[in-house]
Amino acid sequence: MSTYDVVVAGNGALGLATARALSLQDSNLRIAVVGPAGRPGGASGAAGAMLGCYGEVTAPLLRTAPGRARHAQGVLAARLWPAWLEGLNSELPPEEQVRLDAGTIVFSNAKSGTIEDENYAAIQQAATAEGEPFEELDPNQVPGLYPAEDCRPKRALFLPREGSVDASRLLRGLTRVLEQSSRVSLIDGAVKALDVSAGRVTGVRLEDGRTLAAPQVVLAMGVGTQAVLDELPELARRIPRIFSGGGTSLLLQVPKTQLKHVVRTPNRAFACGLHGMPRAGNQLYFGATNILMARPMLRTTPADMFFLLECVLEQIDQDLCAAQLVGWQAGNRPVTVDTCPLMGPTSVDGLWLLTGTYRDGLFQSPLLGQHLARRMRGESGLVNEDFPPERKPISLYTLAEARAEALKHYLAMGWEHGIRLPKVGWHRSFPRFYQQMLDSLYDELGEEEFVLPPELLAIVDGNRAAMVPFFRNYYAEVRKAWA
């Protein structure tokens, strides 16, 4: 058995950032970072790594206190990136350093639905209210944006302080810097269970049978966290359950890069908006789909591949039909049952959680890694702990609000998938069909205290016979846990 001061379970952006922050704050700590070297199904490796604080704003986000708290974390995270990369790059050779590609262009087109207009307006209003600089652009003069005629953008704005990093390069850089430390061990494996004695964590057990002893453990395994928690059912029932937001992204090679910045739509159709960005070597990254599932997606599907490629060619650049395919990527965002993160200590002494971050994990990793490292060392953190791991699920919607928001997303999905309706009268019938389906789902769930967010309805809709009883039982267990 190997012994450490801290075991960080998870080698994605959050796990690596936490280990990096711990090693910087106390160079004497013996730290083990555990995760499969290939990161199968992980969110970080497949991410576009947009540093999108304002680009991710939606109309519902800023209507609630938890939503505003998440946005405030994003604002703070965005400020930390330059110094975080400067420190990382100071320990890397020039050819491995990580660059922040500044600038994001948010555009809105008529391919989706009214939800896109609402979220575009929310982005503009938030930036104006908070003094974030932006510039309105001619939507037909954006470099790299050459869509089909029926997908022309209506509006566009430029956010100069947002942008992206190369996720793969970032993970390699963090890994190399940690490998250079004699006090940090990177272990190729996966944590299967926790060792707990008398209410304290004492270490972890790996899938291959190895054990690691440590008085402090951080679970930052993304969607893999849930299986570890399930080994401690009394604890797991007090923590909002984690589901998988499976996403597909695409890398293309072009002779000359036309895109100068991130280009993206507002969030829509249950996803983070269609987006593209330049990568080194005349490569272009495009993403991303979002399919909510009970279990992680390890490979992409023809349906997601077809949909994403069609969106890219129609809505971003028709000329990319001549590009060379580099590869497809699949990843899984950790999405809690209330879509809010899990951050901080648990009732098991020495056990910490950092997951459930949905689309914000890599973007907020410098902030959350440093925050958790400070808290683990008994210091004050960098953010308010609005999302403790052990809590009742947060209700971000009333039942009426959830039904209305879900309808907008489903309609947007239909339009973006290219549905064609008869011209007379069906513009009324089409929404009614979805409304009846949504009303039926929410009625079957029979839940008013803990309203299932619209995103998670896709899990229920995909397997109604199994998932309606699952969520009914789940919420019954939550009530028992907090009675």
Side-chain angles (χ1 to χ4, degrees):
M1 178 188 296
S2 301
T3 301
Y4 300 90
D5 296 308
V6 180
V7 169
V8 178
N11 63 347
L14 285 172
L16 295 176
T18 302
R20 163 80 170 159
L22 283 166
S23 65
L24 288 173
Q25 292 178 26
D26 187 346
S27 60
N28 293 317
L29 284 176
R30 294 164 299 166
I31 303 168
V33 180
V34 185
R39 300 184 180 88
S44 297
M50 292 185 291
L51 310 183
C53 173
Y54 290 91
E56 285 288 308
V57 165
T58 64
L61 179 72
L62 302 182
R63 292 175 188 159
T64 66
R68 291 189 292 273
R70 287 166 59 188
H71 175 63
Q73 284 183 192
V75 172
L76 182 53
R79 297 173 185 163
L80 297 182
W81 268 98
W84 180 252
L85 289 184
E86 183 179 358
L88 181 66
N89 287 333
S90 70
E91 300 181 41
L92 292 171
E95 66 274 11
E96 295 183 22
Q97 291 180 1
V98 184
R99 185 183 70 212
L100 195 161
D101 294 318
T104 292
I105 295 171
V106 182
F107 68 93
S108 172
N109 60 27
K111 189 65 177 177
S112 182
T114 59
I115 191 170
E116 182 162 338
D117 297 329
E118 293 174 7
N119 291 339
Y120 184 94
I123 292 168
Q124 198 167 25
Q125 289 165 8
T128 300
E130 298 172 22
E132 180 68 15
F134 70 91
E135 176 188 356
E136 293 190 67
L137 304 176
D138 181 344
N140 295 307
Q141 299 297 322
V142 175
L145 207 59
Y146 182 51
E149 288 300 311
D150 59 351
C151 297
R152 290 195 316 255
K154 301 181 295 182
R155 292 171 294 178
L157 61 84
F158 179 59
L159 294 162
R161 298 203 298 195
E162 300 205 348
S164 68
V165 296
D166 184 323
S168 297
R169 197 174 184 89
L170 175 68
L171 294 175
R172 288 196 301 270
L174 285 167
T175 299
R176 171 153 181 162
V177 166
L178 291 172
E179 284 175 335
Q180 293 170 175
S181 170
S182 62
R183 307 290 287 180
V184 178
S185 299
L186 300 181
I187 297 173
D188 184 3
V191 171
K192 180 180 181 181
L194 302 168
D195 285 327
V196 177
S197 177
R200 291 188 57 87
V201 70
T202 59
V204 299
R205 281 169 281 147
L206 276 58
E207 290 181 349
D208 61 11
R210 286 179 289 175
T211 59
L212 309 178
Q216 295 204 87
V217 173
V218 180
L219 285 183
M221 296 172 63
V223 293
T225 305
Q226 188 61 53
V228 177
L229 291 174
D230 285 342
E231 296 291 318
L232 298 172
E234 288 304 310
L235 175 65
R237 67 205 292 252
R238 296 174 60 85
I239 297 174
R241 192 165 186 85
I242 301 168
F243 297 92
S244 172
T248 293
S249 58
L250 169 66
L251 278 174
L252 296 177
Q253 181 86 43
V254 293
K256 183 179 180 182
T257 302
Q258 299 298 319
L259 283 181
K260 305 301 182 186
H261 307 284
V262 173
V263 294
R264 61 164 299 166
T265 69
N267 290 352
R268 63 190 191 184
F270 297 119
C272 53
L274 175 63
H275 54 274
M277 63 205 68
R279 288 275 175 87
N282 285 332
Q283 290 189 3
L284 298 172
Y285 172 100
F286 296 100
T289 60
N290 187 36
I291 309 297
L292 270 289
M293 298 172 293
R295 294 181 178 83
M297 176 184 75
L298 296 181
R299 296 182 179 87
T300 190
T301 65
D304 280 358
M305 294 165 70
F306 174 80
F307 173 68
L308 178 57
L309 193 54
E310 184 179 45
C311 287
V312 169
L313 295 179
E314 287 188 348
Q315 299 182 52
I316 294 184
D317 188 353
Q318 302 168 85
D319 286 339
L320 290 174
C321 61
Q324 299 295 304
L325 175 64
V326 177
W328 293 95
Q329 302 172 111
N332 295 272
R333 310 169 186 91
V335 187
T336 60
V337 73
D338 59 11
T339 70
C340 294
L342 306 171
M343 306 163 36
T346 69
S347 57
V348 175
D349 195 12
L351 177 63
W352 303 77
L353 258 64
L354 187 55
T355 186
T357 45
Y358 204 172
R359 292 187 284 259
D360 296 331
L362 191 150
F363 165 46
Q364 294 194 12
S365 58
L367 170 67
L368 300 185
Q370 292 180 85
H371 166 78
L372 200 70
R374 291 171 62 94
R375 291 283 286 109
M376 292 174 70
R377 298 183 63 248
E379 301 176 7
S380 58
L382 299 179
V383 296
N384 295 328
E385 297 199 341
D386 297 296
F387 308 105
E390 292 179 64
R391 64 168 192 261
K392 293 181 181 180
I394 297 168
S395 288
L396 299 176
Y397 300 87
T398 66
L399 189 53
E401 289 170 342
R403 292 181 190 223
E405 188 71 12
L407 177 61
K408 294 174 188 175
H409 280 285
Y410 269 99
L411 290 173
M413 284 176 59
W415 297 127
E416 197 170 10
H417 276 275
I419 193 168
R420 295 179 65 86
L421 300 175
K423 295 296 188 291
V424 180
W426 282 83
H427 66 294
R428 304 279 185 194
S429 301
F430 181 46
R432 281 201 299 268
F433 164 76
Y434 273 124
Q435 188 68 70
Q436 290 168 1
M437 182 269 287
L438 294 169
D439 288 346
S440 175
L441 285 175
Y442 273 116
D443 288 345
E444 277 195 67
L445 289 169
E447 185 59 56
E448 293 189 8
E449 180 181 2
F450 303 115
V451 178
L452 196 69
E455 294 99 317
L456 271 75
L457 275 188
I459 299 177
V460 183
D461 191 22
N463 188 357
R464 195 164 181 160
M467 297 312 295
V468 167
F470 174 88
F471 278 107
R472 282 178 176 169
N473 293 336
Y474 170 74
Y475 286 124
E477 287 297 313
V478 169
R479 289 188 179 90
K480 289 179 185 177
W482 293 98

